[in-house]
Amino acid sequence: MNSTTFSVSEWPPKLTDAQIEALTRHATAYALSHGLTFLPPCITQPSSPPSAVHAPISLIPSPFPRSIFERAQRLQSLYNILYGRVSMDDDFLDKVMGAVEGVGKVDEFMGTLWRGWKKIRDEGIVQPLHLGLCRSDYLLHAEEDGKLFLKQVEFNTIAPSFAPLSERTAAMHRYIYALTDYYRISPFLTPKNFPANDATTRLVHGLAEAHKAYGVPGAYILSVVLPNERNVFDQRWLEYELLEKYSIRVVRQTFEELASSATLDPETRTLQLTLPTNPSSTIEISVVYLRAGYAPSDCPTPKHYDARFLLERSRAIKCPTIPLQLAGGKKVQEVLSRPCILEKYMSDSEAKELRETWMPMWSLDDPNPSISSPDYVPRLGMDEPNGTMLARALADELVLKPQRENGGNNVYKSEIHPFLDTLPAQEREAWIAMKLISPPRGIGSYFVRPGSTCNNDSDASENVQGSKAVRTESTSELGIFGWMLFSRETGVHECGDAGWLVRTKGVESNEGGVAHGFAVLDSVLLVDG
């Protein structure tokens, strides 16, 4: 490899079998020693003993253009401000996501959230402050001439995960370099190309600032979690730093538990919890940090929704509030991309910067998508196609997205025609079509996934030999974390970027979730040229 010119097709550099084996031992030992861990799937079985495995990881960091990485970091404050302002625009959210004229008409989950929020608004909001811990996800987009551009996949406003584990993945790669020099296989593997990642500290700072704004030092932060959460260690690192650095205690509860443990003071609407360890007293909650509640499966019964709405009614600061959660819907992303909408919230120059990161997108129910002219209609030979017609005509270039988080929900390429054949016309409003981002091809990575730890797992013999590294052609997704504290009175008065994450997947995979097994945790290697 030329020492001054980076070539995608030459990554990753070649390693011998002995080097791969040694690096894998170093990586997995570091991960297990430093809490870069998951609970295995079998932990949900009552008979399974407590255990942990290392998270799926890459052996070598993935290259990312320095200038584009730095731009993604700079853009995070703009995105924070945009989505903060959108979440405070009740009329906009009512129209786009509401259950009367918006997505909530056909998406029961979003509609239930909106109806609950509308009722709470009518009762009177008692806590004006919103806290957002958000993440903007990007892919590199390669044009035919080889030029690379930063393109946004989505903006996450609820429960963005892997900040602590991503920080530890970056630290693991720096450790391996310090220990082995990566056997000098590449001149790009040098300390100056390993950017700092302090995601844990910055997100914890956001939580601490919200706790401070609440004004009761002895109150607790409530972390709302899923039952049998496999990604528990990622969450725990935030809790540890809150306690160690700020002396703020965190209590973890599921919606099921909150249905019986949570109450509101009838006069002040202070959120109080009764814990089974001390049923004779209650604790006060300053901040509600939702790591659950982003999918219909999180609220299987009315009492789960009731628990969510009780939290929203309280004086505690919510992360996120229901309107901020609604603002993160894919439909909002699509509507903002329409002419003149984004400019209602941002200056022309700011809007231009943000629009440059978006791919063409439209709603399936749009009778005349603005994207259809002039880019597509001439080559399709259509006169004013509607959104569904356009999606059928361009299926091989598209992804269809519903109003869902956490991976596994999208429809891609060849799946689109049969999906549209069965999608009821009245449900089209809840789906958007987005032109696929085309990442650069030819780049590779070494994936290290954990061996089995389940006693009844047919593949348990793999654990005897330990985890193995597999080389594969790959695509990396960059996420930039951010936090913001805001209200109608103050606007978005505190915000900033808060570290980053990289998830890398095989090119054959459409989805990119780590917890679902599609991707591995990775880190950035900055390259020029």
Side-chain angles (χ1 to χ4, degrees):
M1 184 182 296
N2 185 294
S3 62
T4 59
T5 304
F6 179 81
S7 173
V8 164
S9 62
E10 296 180 31
W11 197 267
K14 291 182 180 178
L15 290 161
T16 67
D17 290 345
Q19 289 170 340
I20 292 172
E21 183 179 351
L23 292 178
T24 302
R25 285 199 306 269
H26 295 319
T28 54
Y30 184 96
L32 290 168
S33 300
H34 290 78
L36 181 47
T37 48
F38 264 21
L39 290 179
C42 59
I43 203 67
T44 60
Q45 301 173 9
S47 60
S48 300
S51 60
V53 295
H54 69 79
I57 49 179
S58 68
L59 207 55
I60 299 177
S62 290
F64 207 90
R66 189 183 309 272
S67 62
I68 296 180
F69 176 77
E70 291 172 351
R71 184 181 181 218
Q73 290 180 306
R74 292 194 303 271
L75 285 173
Q76 188 62 33
S77 290
L78 289 184
Y79 270 115
N80 288 345
I81 292 168
L82 169 62
Y83 278 90
R85 289 172 178 170
V86 168
S87 69
M88 293 185 288
D89 189 340
D90 295 350
D91 291 340
F92 177 82
L93 290 177
D94 287 349
K95 183 176 181 180
V96 175
M97 299 297 289
V100 176
E101 54 180 324
V103 165
K105 297 198 308 277
V106 294
D107 186 309
E108 182 59 26
F109 177 62
M110 290 297 180
T112 302
L113 287 178
W114 180 87
R115 284 188 290 269
W117 174 50
K118 178 67 166 59
K119 185 176 180 180
I120 294 166
R121 280 159 49 193
D122 292 342
E123 294 170 357
I125 302 292
V126 298
Q127 177 52 260
L129 285 171
H130 307 238
L131 174 65
L133 301 185
C134 305
R135 193 186 69 222
S136 187
D137 292 333
Y138 303 96
L139 288 170
L140 289 175
H141 178 67
E143 295 286 2
E144 292 182 3
D145 61 4
K147 290 183 179 179
L148 298 178
F149 298 88
L150 184 72
K151 294 296 181 179
Q152 187 184 61
V153 178
E154 61 187 0
F155 190 85
N156 302 276
T157 60
I158 181 170
S161 58
F162 296 123
L165 295 196
S166 294
E167 180 178 329
R168 281 153 184 80
T169 305
M172 178 197 72
H173 286 149
R174 289 194 298 272
Y175 159 76
I176 292 175
Y177 173 81
L179 182 68
T180 70
D181 289 328
Y182 274 108
Y183 307 111
R184 300 183 179 179
I185 57 175
S186 168
F188 297 100
L189 287 163
T190 63
K192 70 175 184 178
N193 294 335
F194 290 77
N197 188 4
D198 54 356
T200 307
T201 294
R202 295 199 191 189
L203 290 182
V204 165
H205 177 69
L207 287 163
E209 285 297 300
H211 175 84
K212 179 180 177 182
Y214 183 81
V216 180
Y220 286 62
I221 289 178
L222 166 66
S223 184
V224 184
V225 298
L226 294 171
N228 303 314
E229 173 63 74
R230 292 185 58 213
N231 194 25
V232 61
F233 303 107
D234 183 64
Q235 299 170 4
R236 289 289 193 179
W237 280 115
L238 299 174
E239 298 172 23
Y240 299 152
E241 185 148 337
L242 278 165
L243 184 60
E244 293 167 5
K245 190 171 182 178
Y246 296 96
S247 299
I248 299 173
R249 292 170 290 186
V250 178
V251 59
R252 298 168 61 86
Q253 293 260 284
T254 65
F255 283 123
E256 183 79 23
E257 292 168 325
L258 288 168
S260 58
S261 67
T263 57
L264 297 186
D265 183 283
E267 295 185 4
T268 65
R269 295 218 210 160
T270 298
L271 177 60
Q272 299 172 326
L273 296 189
T274 302
L275 303 181
T277 52
N278 190 7
S280 62
S281 64
T282 62
I283 61 172
E284 182 173 351
I285 300 300
S286 61
V287 178
V288 176
Y289 177 36
L290 288 154
R291 292 295 295 256
Y294 48 78
S297 58
D298 297 355
C299 296
T301 70
K303 76 174 181 179
H304 292 79
Y305 283 108
D306 289 343
R308 174 69 177 94
F309 297 143
L310 182 142
L311 301 178
E312 195 73 18
R313 285 187 174 91
S314 77
R315 196 172 74 83
I317 298 171
K318 274 71 68 178
C319 179
T321 56
I322 291 177
L324 183 55
Q325 180 176 351
L326 293 175
K330 306 302 184 293
K331 183 67 174 182
V332 170
Q333 183 184 21
E334 181 269 317
V335 172
L336 288 172
S337 74
R338 297 178 188 177
C340 303
I341 302 296
L342 176 60
E343 288 74 11
K344 295 179 180 178
Y345 301 101
M346 310 298 287
S347 71
D348 289 347
S349 61
E350 292 168 338
K352 181 176 183 295
E353 272 204 273
L354 296 180
R355 284 189 184 279
E356 287 173 352
T357 67
W358 295 345
M359 296 297 288
M361 64 188 88
W362 62 90
S363 173
L364 291 184
D365 74 322
D366 195 327
N368 185 22
S370 58
I371 195 62
S372 65
S373 177
D375 297 329
Y376 293 120
V377 171
R379 69 181 172 93
L380 293 175
M382 292 182 177
D383 292 327
E384 299 184 351
N386 63 39
T388 300
M389 292 169 60
L390 198 58
R392 287 185 179 277
L394 299 169
D396 289 343
E397 305 173 33
L398 300 180
V399 54
L400 304 186
K401 296 182 176 184
Q403 312 305 307
R404 293 290 177 269
E405 304 294 339
N406 205 33
N409 301 298
N410 297 336
V411 181
Y412 294 85
K413 294 184 176 181
S414 61
E415 304 167 348
I416 289 177
H417 278 283
F419 172 77
L420 291 176
D421 290 340
T422 60
L423 182 68
Q426 67 271 19
E427 294 184 18
R428 292 173 185 168
E429 186 172 359
W431 288 80
I432 71 166
M434 177 174 147
K435 195 166 187 292
L436 282 168
I437 302 169
S438 299
R441 301 303 296 266
I443 196 165
S445 182
Y446 290 96
F447 291 175
V448 183
R449 291 190 170 93
S452 171
T453 61
C454 301
N455 294 335
N456 61 347
D457 195 319
S458 60
D459 295 328
S461 59
E462 181 185 357
N463 196 45
V464 176
Q465 300 177 352
S467 305
K468 293 183 178 180
V470 177
R471 190 189 188 286
T472 184
E473 187 178 351
S474 60
T475 298
S476 294
E477 184 171 321
L478 173 70
I480 304 293
F481 292 99
W483 74 274
M484 52 183 168
L485 189 62
F486 61 97
S487 70
R488 294 182 191 277
E489 292 75 17
T490 62
V492 184
H493 64 278
E494 292 193 58
C495 72
D497 72 278
W500 47 270
L501 96 124
V502 178
R503 291 167 295 177
T504 298
K505 63 181 181 180
V507 293
E508 74 285 350
S509 175
N510 286 321
E511 298 290 352
V514 175
H516 290 282
F518 300 118
V520 300
L521 291 171
D522 201 348
S523 74
V524 169
L525 182 74
L526 297 178
V527 296
D528 299 301

